[in-house]
Amino acid sequence: MKNIADNRFFNMILLFTIIGEFIVPWILEQFYSEYNGKIMVMSALGSPQSPVRLIYNLWLVWLGGFLAYTAGAYFLSLRAKFPILAVFMLLSIGIFAVGAGLISGFFSVNESKDIVTTASKIHGVGAAIGFMALLIFSLLNGIVSFKQNNMIEGIISISSFVLSLIFFACFVMGDKEQFQNTILKYEGLWERLALFCMYIPFVYNSMSNLFF
């Protein structure tokens, strides 16, 4: 029986979802004049002040739901050969799916960081834990790739991990007051770059299953 993770339809939806992670915010920000994608995080599109909040929050729920399914698919495809790594991958993707997807979709952050509510606190914790969990996926995928003697995918995954770590660090520092007059202030940009690098192994896996 073929693994779900190798299924063409599954990989088409996964690619669609990952591309949508960047295209959907870009489209929605065109209808939100106060939003600045370079400085503001993507979650602000789902804030109570946003005219596109319903659409973006529904998108986060879709993202979380499908990535939770993806976590299960990756786990099932790897558990026979790499049971321990499979569990860590399940947790890495699954925690991101729940924290940065489902929880973030149901509990909105506010447009202004000065406005703190219970929902924004839950959102902040969920998203932060989710991002940190997904950060190690590239590393795990690299280890699996090297164990399978797939050197190209291994190098791509480890490179993605290093870049993700750098961009995520820039994203975190961008929230600090002492960096507001530096290039690090572009939180939205660093967030997107970090996510882009975190998703590279998924894209590589999907493209490999679709075209090779």
Side-chain angles (χ1 to χ4, degrees), residues 98-110:
V98 174
L102 296 173
I103 289 178
S104 294
F106 287 115
F107 297 93
S108 300
V109 71
N110 288 289

Side-chain angles (χ1 to χ4, degrees), residues 1-15 66 69 73-74 77 205-211:
M1 183 177 178
K2 198 172 184 180
N3 289 320
I4 297 172
D6 297 327
N7 182 272
R8 288 180 60 83
F9 184 63
F10 165 78
N11 282 287
M12 287 175 63
I13 298 177
L14 180 56
L15 273 179
F66 186 74
Y69 179 80
Y74 273 55
S77 70
N205 287 333
S206 293
M207 296 289 282
S208 297
N209 284 306
L210 288 171
F211 302 110

Side-chain angles (χ1 to χ4, degrees), residues 134-143 145-146 150-168 193-202 204:
L134 189 65
L135 183 62
I136 67 169
F137 170 75
S138 299
L139 178 61
L140 296 170
N141 195 70
I143 294 171
S145 299
F146 284 128
N150 190 334
M151 296 297 119
I152 294 177
E153 183 175 355
I155 292 171
I156 289 174
S157 295
I158 297 301
S159 299
S160 298
F161 169 70
V162 173
L163 290 172
S164 298
L165 193 59
I166 293 171
F167 291 137
F168 184 69
L193 287 173
L195 269 178
F196 177 80
C197 293
M198 291 179 197
Y199 282 135
I200 286 176
F202 291 103
Y204 183 90

Side-chain angles (χ1 to χ4, degrees), residues 3-212:
N3 289 320
I4 297 172
D6 297 327
N7 182 272
R8 288 180 60 83
F9 184 63
F10 165 78
N11 282 287
M12 287 175 63
I13 298 177
L14 180 56
L15 273 179
F16 163 81
T17 301
I18 291 173
I19 293 171
E21 177 80 301
F22 303 96
I23 296 297
V24 169
W26 180 79
I27 293 174
L28 294 180
E29 69 179 79
Q30 311 305 315
F31 302 93
Y32 188 3
S33 58
E34 290 80 14
Y35 182 83
N36 184 336
K38 289 182 180 180
I39 298 175
M40 299 169 70
V41 296
M42 291 188 288
S43 293
L45 289 166
S47 68
Q49 298 79 26
S50 169
V52 294
R53 60 186 178 279
L54 178 60
I55 298 174
Y56 187 70
N57 287 330
L58 285 174
W59 168 258
L60 287 179
V61 172
W62 161 260
L63 175 73
F66 186 74
L67 286 185
Y69 179 80
T70 300
Y74 273 55
F75 169 75
L76 293 175
S77 70
L78 294 169
R79 66 175 178 175
K81 291 185 177 180
F82 311 106
I84 296 177
L85 286 170
V87 170
F88 280 116
M89 275 199 174
L90 174 68
L91 292 173
S92 174
I93 305 170
I95 291 173
F96 176 79
V98 174
L102 296 173
I103 289 178
S104 294
F106 287 115
F107 297 93
S108 300
V109 71
N110 288 289
E111 180 185 286
S112 172
K113 295 178 183 178
D114 296 329
I115 302 175
V116 180
T117 62
T118 300
S120 67
K121 289 179 180 179
I122 294 172
H123 178 107
V125 172
I129 294 174
F131 266 72
M132 288 187 286
L134 189 65
L135 183 62
I136 67 169
F137 170 75
S138 299
L139 178 61
L140 296 170
N141 195 70
I143 294 171
V144 169
S145 299
F146 284 128
K147 284 181 174 290
Q148 294 176 322
N149 294 316
N150 190 334
M151 296 297 119
I152 294 177
E153 183 175 355
I155 292 171
I156 289 174
S157 295
I158 297 301
S159 299
S160 298
F161 169 70
V162 173
L163 290 172
S164 298
L165 193 59
I166 293 171
F167 291 137
F168 184 69
C170 291
F171 171 57
V172 172
M173 288 189 291
D175 190 42
K176 310 302 180 184
E177 187 175 346
Q178 60 265 39
F179 297 112
Q180 292 309 298
N181 293 320
T182 72
I183 194 172
L184 293 175
K185 71 178 181 180
Y186 296 111
E187 281 186 75
L189 174 63
W190 300 123
E191 178 189 33
R192 287 163 173 79
L193 287 173
L195 269 178
F196 177 80
C197 293
M198 291 179 197
Y199 282 135
I200 286 176
F202 291 103
V203 174
Y204 183 90
N205 287 333
S206 293
M207 296 289 282
S208 297
N209 284 306
L210 288 171
F211 302 110
F212 302 105

